[in-house]
Amino acid sequence: MTEYGRGPGSEPWHPEDPLYGDGGWEGQQGHTGHQPAYGGQPQHQYPQHPQQPQQEYADWSNGQPQQYGRQEYDQQQYQQSYEQQQYAAQGQQYAHRDQQAYQEGGWDGTGSHAQVPYAADPGDPYGQQAAAYGAEQPDLYGTPDAYPPPEPPARRRAEPEPEAAQSRPDWDPGPDQGEHAFFAGGGADDEDDDEPETRGDRRGRGGKGAKGAKSKKSRNGCACLVVLLVFGGGLGGVTYFGYQFYQNRHSAAPDFTGDGTSQTVSIEVPKGARGVDIGRKLKDAGVVKSVDAFVSAFTTNNGDQIQAGAYILRKEMSAKSAVEMMLDPKSQANVMVPPGQRNIAVYKAIDSKLGLAAGTTRDVAEKEFKNLGLPDWANADGDAKDPLEGFLYPGTYPAAKGMKPATVLKQMVARADEAYGKYDLEAKAKALKLENPLQVITVASLVQAEGKTHDDFRKMAEVVYNRLKPTNTETNQLLQFDSTFNYLKNESNIHISESEINSNQDPYNTYTQKGLPPGPIGNPGAEALTAALTPTSDGWIYFVATDGENKTEFAKTYAEFERLKDKFNESAGN
């Protein structure tokens, strides 16, 4: 039977019945230990079938054939019969209660319920609770407040998961639990769902009140505010950077006006610096207002002709004025080392450019020469007067007020080390029968000091090597160079008396001491170094500056040398 309360019925329901094939009351199979039926009626015991061989029966209740053994099939039939009896007993109980109430005058004929109490149903837990407290139990059956009749298992909703289940890792809390209401889609309007309100809801079991609605509205409001702030901030950022982009593309770069203030600063421009590199240095020093302004002036005012070095500039200059001033040699604050210049002259120039007392840079060179970057083979001979001689490489170096002498000297030594490092001086010295690379630099310094032109350099180098040979019987391995004696005296005098020369026994006096001096006598340039490494092989051993200054002539014998000497005396008026 398919309607509640029509009779117990012992046979299974018809397959067309919508409740046919349900899995049992409360969604579970019948328990082994049977509970009393609804309303306190005892449960009938049904004999179990004796053991028989297993047979298979097909069950089509779920639309798919399921195989059962004979014993499982009998148990299922028994369970379905038991549930039908439960539904029938419950229906009879409600019908009996209504009939009794009517017979006792429960209806007054007007449609209102009579005030006639009736005994509480022992199977109704709510009726027992009210009776226990001495209160009259109202008959709510058939009214909207009545406890809903049990629904068939196929129509029932699943009970909420217990708290223990919520702790399981695979438990999914759903959109309203564990998720923010904004992202779960819940809102104030979601309170009106289609689920009927049950008595448990009235008693406060998870009821949704005004407080819950207000809380959800607050959460939704916060979420909307966050989204608004995020989008608003993003829009503001886009607007700001867009404005900056427009300004950079279509407006003039910030720039000062005029030729600047009276305050000056020194700027060092390294070798190979680009316009943007120079612009950054000038902006950091307060010379120009922006890098872009300087780059613009640099490209339109021949800024590519600005040389490496130091410059004295004024603060707050227009970019165009800064470029023009850097192109003016007067603004340069550099020390220039010409080829062949002695260290003593370089030290004086550095003191002057840095605004230091005379002798300051020389003292630094004597005390700190080991920390200035000299190569390992430098100062091989301890008798050298200045360990840095020959290593302040010719060139232009920044030297402005505020810089330290050691900083300027390090740049010069580094340039020399780089230039000399291009040659295998160890191998070159051995091939030229010299003791070490320092002697190669010494020969180059002699060539630079005695030679007058580029053509003279290679011949002068051959003169040095021929006079150093042990087979030299012309001068007996004496160089006899005036330049070495002048270095000793820190002079540049070509008129030296024989008595003065012969009385001096200093290692740098090549008239009295055989071989090379202890070290270079100046800073040779690239041409002199190349000539020292590639001398001629024509047999030159003598030379004379016949005009006293610029013209040098060479001889292979002593007789030729005497003729050149007479020529010199004639030009000098002797």
Side-chain angles (χ1 to χ4, degrees):
M1 308 298 286
T2 59
E3 297 182 2
Y4 305 140
R6 282 197 179 182
S10 60
E11 69 276 12
W13 291 356
H14 192 277
E16 295 183 357
D17 193 298
L19 302 182
Y20 177 77
D22 257 320
W25 192 257
E26 296 295 332
Q28 302 178 359
Q29 298 293 334
H31 300 286
T32 305
H34 302 297
Q35 300 292 336
Y38 186 86
Q41 295 180 4
Q43 177 178 321
H44 298 285
Q45 301 294 332
Y46 292 87
Q48 298 181 355
H49 294 278
Q51 293 290 338
Q52 295 181 5
Q54 294 291 331
Q55 299 182 13
E56 295 183 355
Y57 294 86
D59 180 11
W60 291 80
S61 60
N62 295 324
Q64 297 291 337
Q66 301 180 2
Q67 302 298 326
Y68 298 92
R70 177 57 182 267
Q71 184 177 355
E72 296 174 351
Y73 178 76
D74 291 344
Q75 290 179 357
Q76 184 180 11
Q77 296 297 321
Y78 162 74
Q79 178 67 24
Q80 292 178 356
S81 177
Y82 168 69
E83 293 173 354
Q84 292 173 14
Q85 291 182 15
Q86 284 185 322
Y87 288 127
Q90 184 179 6
Q92 288 179 355
Q93 185 175 359
Y94 279 111
H96 174 73
R97 186 175 65 179
D98 294 343
Q99 180 67 23
Q100 183 179 2
Y102 179 77
Q103 291 175 357
E104 294 178 359
W107 299 93
D108 56 5
T110 62
S112 61
H113 198 278
Q115 303 296 326
V116 179
Y118 57 87
D121 186 357
D124 187 355
Y126 299 101
Q128 292 288 352
Q129 181 179 7
Y133 288 93
E136 294 182 356
Q137 173 67 25
D139 185 6
L140 302 177
Y141 183 75
T143 68
D145 295 332
Y147 191 85
E151 295 183 358
R155 301 179 183 175
R156 287 198 302 270
R157 302 179 185 273
E159 289 290 329
E161 289 286 342
E163 294 182 359
Q166 297 179 12
S167 63
R168 295 199 306 265
D170 58 344
W171 179 71
D172 184 7
D176 290 336
Q177 303 181 41
E179 292 185 14
H180 195 283
F182 176 78
F183 299 102
D189 295 338
D190 292 341
E191 301 294 330
D192 300 332
D193 51 24
D194 295 335
E195 296 184 12
E197 187 181 47
T198 63
R199 183 178 299 178
D201 295 331
R202 293 178 179 274
R203 297 176 63 195
R205 185 186 59 175
K208 302 176 181 178
K211 183 177 181 180
K214 181 178 181 181
S215 176
K216 283 202 170 187
K217 289 181 178 179
S218 299
R219 291 197 299 270
N220 289 344
C222 291
C224 292
L225 180 59
V226 170
V227 172
L228 181 61
L229 291 176
V230 170
F231 280 100
L235 181 60
V238 170
T239 303
Y240 173 77
F241 287 109
Y243 175 76
Q244 292 295 326
F245 178 79
Y246 177 83
Q247 289 287 94
N248 293 336
R249 290 292 299 272
H250 301 286
S251 61
D255 195 6
F256 292 122
T257 58
D259 296 331
T261 65
S262 59
Q263 187 178 1
T264 60
V265 293
S266 61
I267 302 298
E268 181 181 349
V269 177
K271 184 178 181 180
R274 302 170 302 170
V276 65
D277 301 324
I278 302 174
R280 290 193 186 102
K281 286 181 172 291
L282 297 183
K283 181 178 182 300
D284 294 341
V287 176
V288 297
K289 194 170 186 178
S290 69
V291 177
D292 291 341
F294 180 82
V295 170
S296 178
F298 181 90
T299 56
T300 57
N301 293 275
N302 300 321
D304 56 346
Q305 298 180 10
I306 295 176
Q307 302 295 320
Y311 297 85
I312 303 299
L313 303 174
R314 292 186 290 269
K315 283 195 172 185
E316 299 184 6
M317 303 179 67
S318 69
K320 182 179 179 181
S321 298
V323 172
E324 292 175 351
M325 192 169 186
M326 295 182 75
L327 292 174
D328 185 355
K330 295 180 180 179
S331 67
Q332 297 181 3
N334 301 322
V335 170
M336 181 176 292
V337 180
Q341 190 174 47
R342 301 172 187 166
N343 280 6
I344 189 66
V346 178
Y347 296 150
K348 290 180 179 179
I350 294 175
D351 288 341
S352 176
K353 289 293 182 178
L354 300 185
L356 303 175
T360 302
T361 303
R362 184 175 182 177
D363 290 342
V364 171
E366 292 177 355
K367 295 176 182 178
E368 301 183 18
F369 71 91
K370 293 182 179 180
N371 302 324
L372 298 178
L374 289 171
D376 296 337
W377 46 265
N379 194 27
D381 195 324
D383 292 335
K385 293 187 177 297
D386 186 347
L388 294 181
E389 196 73 68
F391 293 93
L392 303 183
Y393 198 76
T396 302
Y397 301 91
K401 292 182 179 180
M403 298 178 65
K404 295 181 179 180
T407 301
V408 181
L409 294 175
K410 281 183 178 180
Q411 295 181 45
M412 297 177 178
V413 173
R415 184 84 61 84
D417 190 31
E418 179 184 2
Y420 299 157
K422 296 178 181 179
Y423 307 95
D424 187 358
L425 294 184
E426 291 280 354
K428 293 291 185 181
K430 187 178 294 186
L432 294 170
K433 295 180 173 51
L434 299 175
E435 297 178 2
N436 49 58
L438 182 62
Q439 287 192 343
V440 176
I441 306 304
T442 302
V443 172
S445 68
L446 295 174
V447 169
Q448 186 80 63
E450 296 287 353
K452 304 301 181 182
T453 65
H454 175 71
D455 294 336
D456 293 346
F457 288 161
R458 295 186 64 208
K459 294 179 181 179
M460 192 66 66
E462 184 184 0
V463 170
V464 173
Y465 291 130
N466 286 336
R467 290 193 179 190
L468 291 176
K469 292 179 179 179
T471 58
N472 173 22
T473 59
E474 296 289 335
T475 63
N476 297 318
Q477 299 179 359
L478 293 173
L479 293 180
Q480 297 178 342
F481 280 8
D482 291 345
S483 58
T484 60
F485 189 82
N486 284 325
Y487 179 80
L488 168 66
K489 292 292 186 176
N490 192 22
E491 297 175 350
S492 295
N493 187 9
I494 61 175
H495 301 286
I496 304 173
S497 64
E498 292 185 2
S499 60
E500 183 181 5
I501 290 175
N502 294 330
S503 63
N504 191 306
Q505 300 297 318
D506 191 276
Y508 281 86
N509 185 359
T510 56
Y511 281 98
T512 60
Q513 307 298 319
K514 292 183 179 182
L516 292 170
I521 61 173
N523 296 287
E527 289 184 338
L529 178 60
T530 302
L533 296 175
T534 57
T536 61
S537 56
D538 298 331
W540 307 115
I541 195 170
Y542 295 102
F543 66 94
V544 175
T546 55
D547 65 352
E549 293 183 3
N550 299 322
K551 186 176 181 181
T552 303
E553 298 185 48
F554 293 86
K556 299 177 183 179
T557 63
Y558 185 75
E560 292 178 355
F561 168 69
E562 287 291 333
R563 287 196 295 270
L564 292 177
K565 189 176 181 181
D566 292 341
K567 189 176 182 178
F568 166 74
N569 290 331
E570 292 177 1
S571 64
N574 294 333

